């Protein structure tokens, strides 16, 4: 198994086509751009970086890392988070997704971010914890824009906020994120990561 990482615009077409197939398999009702000129699936302002786990030439799992500055409780942070984490159905239950999510945690820490935050469905909390992430107690990510917020605690959602505090500044401000509404506001394309 090999992990490759690319800025979203630089993913080789043959790998991108497989990633899109996995995403459509996992989220059949969601529209993903075509790999051949359909445009990015994430807002370029979020510096999307894709990590792909390969078994030979076959994509087994993939995820994207998004990032942006975040101001919270009067402090500015460099923040990143996971998006579109997916494992090929036929390869699930073998630790491939955990391996990739653990590698993403290390990549975000190595890139010098202050903190990492993202949401996941509540039943996936244990999976992410097994890969080095922690649930941030009572935290709600508010996505969308300030004018059109998209909170993770809206009706019909059963999300938890996961993350890690990576820099000394992030660790010093950790408790300000507990039981807080965090104005992530990644925009209209990636309404919530």
């Amino acid at each position: 198994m090999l992990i490759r990482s690319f800025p979203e615009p630089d993913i080789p077409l043959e790998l991108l086509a497989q990633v899109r197939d996995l995403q459509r398999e996992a989220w059949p009702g969601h529209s993903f751009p075509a790999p051949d000129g359909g445009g990015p699936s994430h807002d370029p302002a979020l510096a999307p970086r894709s990590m792909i786990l390969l078994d030979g030439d076959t994509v087994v799992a993939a995820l994207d890392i998004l990032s942006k500055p975040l101001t919270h409780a009067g402090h500015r942070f460099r923040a990143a988070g996971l998006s579109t984490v997916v494992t090929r159905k036929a390869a699930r239950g073998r630790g491939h997704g955990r391996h990739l999510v653990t590698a993403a945690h290390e990549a975000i820490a190595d890139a010098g971010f202050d903190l990492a935050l993202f949401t996941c469905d509540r039943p996936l909390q244990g999976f992410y914890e097994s890969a080095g992430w922690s649930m941030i107690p009572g935290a709600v990510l508010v996505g969308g824009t300030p004018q059109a917020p998209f909170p993770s605690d809206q009706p019909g959602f059963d999300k938890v906020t996961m993350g890690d505090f990576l820099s000394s500044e992030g660790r010093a401000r950790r408790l300000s994120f507990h039981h807080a509404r965090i104005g992530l506001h990644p925009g209209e394309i990636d309404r919530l990561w």
Side-chain angles (χ1 to χ4, degrees):
M1 294 286 179
L2 172 70
I3 295 175
R4 295 190 62 196
S5 181
F6 307 91
E8 185 180 51
D10 298 341
I11 303 171
L13 188 58
E14 64 277 6
L15 297 181
L16 183 58
Q18 290 186 62
V19 169
R20 292 289 187 260
D21 286 344
L22 293 185
Q23 291 170 336
R24 286 187 199 97
E25 178 183 72
W27 302 288
H30 188 79
S31 173
F32 292 95
D36 55 352
S41 62
H42 298 291
D43 187 333
L46 301 176
R49 182 157 199 89
S50 296
M51 293 182 71
I52 300 171
L53 179 64
L54 294 164
D55 183 1
D57 294 331
T58 302
V59 174
V60 176
L63 60 78
D64 296 315
I65 298 172
L66 307 178
S67 61
K68 71 179 294 280
L70 169 71
T71 300
H72 177 73
H75 298 275
R76 191 166 170 88
F77 303 93
R78 288 188 62 227
L82 303 184
S83 181
T84 57
V85 178
V86 64
T87 300
R88 184 177 298 279
K89 276 188 182 177
R92 290 183 187 163
R94 299 181 196 162
H96 301 309
R98 181 175 296 107
H99 178 65
L100 187 60
V101 169
T102 300
H105 186 269
E106 293 168 6
I108 291 170
D110 290 347
F113 287 97
D114 296 307
L115 55 97
L117 302 165
F118 62 95
T119 60
C120 72
D121 293 336
R122 190 171 305 279
L124 295 174
Q125 177 181 338
F127 165 76
Y128 286 104
E129 288 173 337
S130 74
W133 300 96
S134 298
M135 191 266 292
I136 301 173
V140 174
L141 286 188
V142 181
T145 65
Q147 300 76 25
F150 191 79
S152 63
D153 65 347
Q154 63 187 286
F157 272 27
D158 187 20
K159 303 279 186 189
V160 292
T161 300
M162 305 297 294
D164 199 359
F165 299 90
L166 305 165
S167 70
S168 57
E169 177 70 11
R171 287 188 295 275
R173 307 285 177 206
R174 168 190 292 261
L175 292 179
S176 72
F177 289 86
H178 291 200
H179 304 284
R181 296 184 78 74
I182 304 162
L184 182 64
H185 303 300
E188 289 296 328
I189 296 173
D190 297 281
R191 295 172 70 197
L192 194 61
W193 73 44

